[in-house]
Amino acid sequence: MIEVIARGIFQVGGEGLSSGGDAAIYLVDGGNECALIDAGTGEGGEYVIRNVERAGVDPSRIKYLVITHCHIDHAGGAPGLKERLGLTTICHEKCAEILAIGNDPRTAAGWYGMKIPPMRIDVTFSGDEYILQVADAKLVLIFTPGHSPGSICAYLDRDNERVLFGQDVHGPIHPVLASDPDLYRASLKKLLALKADVLCEGHFGVYRRAEDVEAYIKSYL
């Protein structure tokens, strides 16, 4: 079953929803337009589209695909979803540089026994923040390096709640991934400062109370 996170926000992919290797995939409905956050490995793309339809959303309304970082469980499905739905792909420029290479060890593709093709990203940003307007929804993308060189998170304020898409708050931190422990800790503190009411994590579920969100992020400091 798809999970309703908040009004117009759904989990449509991840373990139990698409492919077992997929990180969580979230759908943001802004009205006339929608956005996906992450794309999984690519093995469960058809399930993702079916889950979008089960959420009551016409897949043709999805215009954007936000890639939070270069790891295959988040980015591998991007080419297939882009081709199928005509999406505009968006990520940080440091992430785009790695994805342009393809089977770079920093994509973690080898950890999954898979390969990832070189990708060209449509829109990149280089600063600490990028505003993506998805019809009526203002999705704020923030640079949160550490787990990977180009990691980003995103948040959205809706119905007096701040929903944070904090993909892979948990890490891991590993030299093969070019992780940086100091940047990781600084990024976690940046996420804490957002004071989110809901946290959508990349692998470990949805935290629905502000105190639980804070405790979860702090646990990795």
Side-chain angles (χ1 to χ4, degrees):
M1 294 291 291
I2 63 168
E3 182 168 1
V4 180
I5 311 299
R7 179 176 58 85
I9 302 175
F10 311 89
Q11 183 178 351
V12 295
E15 187 174 0
L17 284 171
S18 49
S19 171
D22 290 350
I25 302 169
Y26 297 101
L27 172 70
V28 175
D29 187 348
N32 294 331
E33 296 179 334
C34 301
L36 285 174
I37 298 177
D38 281 337
T41 61
E43 293 188 328
E46 287 299 321
Y47 292 103
V48 172
I49 292 171
R50 290 179 200 171
N51 288 334
V52 168
E53 293 171 337
R54 290 187 180 114
V57 172
D58 184 339
S60 67
R61 285 202 288 122
I62 305 175
K63 303 301 180 185
Y64 305 101
L65 171 59
V66 176
I67 301 172
T68 62
H69 59 290
C70 62
H71 297 163
I72 192 169
D73 53 327
H74 296 261
L81 288 173
K82 177 180 178 176
E83 181 179 3
R84 174 75 180 270
L85 300 175
L87 305 179
T88 297
T89 51
I90 303 168
C91 71
H92 195 272
E93 66 174 11
K94 292 183 181 295
C95 173
E97 290 168 1
I98 296 171
L99 290 176
I101 297 169
N103 285 314
D104 188 291
R106 292 171 291 178
T107 65
W111 291 11
Y112 287 77
M114 300 176 68
K115 294 183 178 180
I116 188 169
M119 298 183 202
R120 185 185 68 82
I121 302 300
D122 299 309
V123 177
T124 66
F125 68 101
S126 59
D128 289 333
E129 184 175 292
Y130 180 88
I131 305 299
L132 177 61
Q133 197 67 41
V134 185
D136 295 334
K138 179 183 175 182
L139 194 61
V140 184
L141 312 184
I142 53 174
F143 184 39
T144 53
H147 172 50
S148 82
S151 289
I152 64 172
C153 295
Y155 69 89
L156 170 72
D157 293 329
R158 178 166 284 181
D159 298 338
N160 298 313
E161 282 192 323
R162 175 160 289 179
V163 180
L164 171 62
F165 303 94
Q167 303 292 67
D168 288 12
V169 165
H170 67 281
I173 303 301
H174 196 284
V176 171
L177 305 178
S179 302
D180 185 313
D182 292 333
L183 289 178
Y184 171 67
R185 283 188 286 267
S187 292
L188 292 183
K189 291 176 181 177
K190 186 186 293 188
L191 296 182
L192 284 170
L194 293 174
K195 298 188 180 300
D197 301 290
V198 180
L199 169 65
C200 302
E201 221 272 349
H203 293 271
F204 292 109
V206 178
Y207 297 80
R208 296 183 174 275
R209 300 189 309 163
E211 53 266 41
D212 293 336
V213 173
E214 181 180 19
Y216 180 78
I217 297 172
K218 280 184 174 179
S219 72
Y220 290 99
L221 280 171

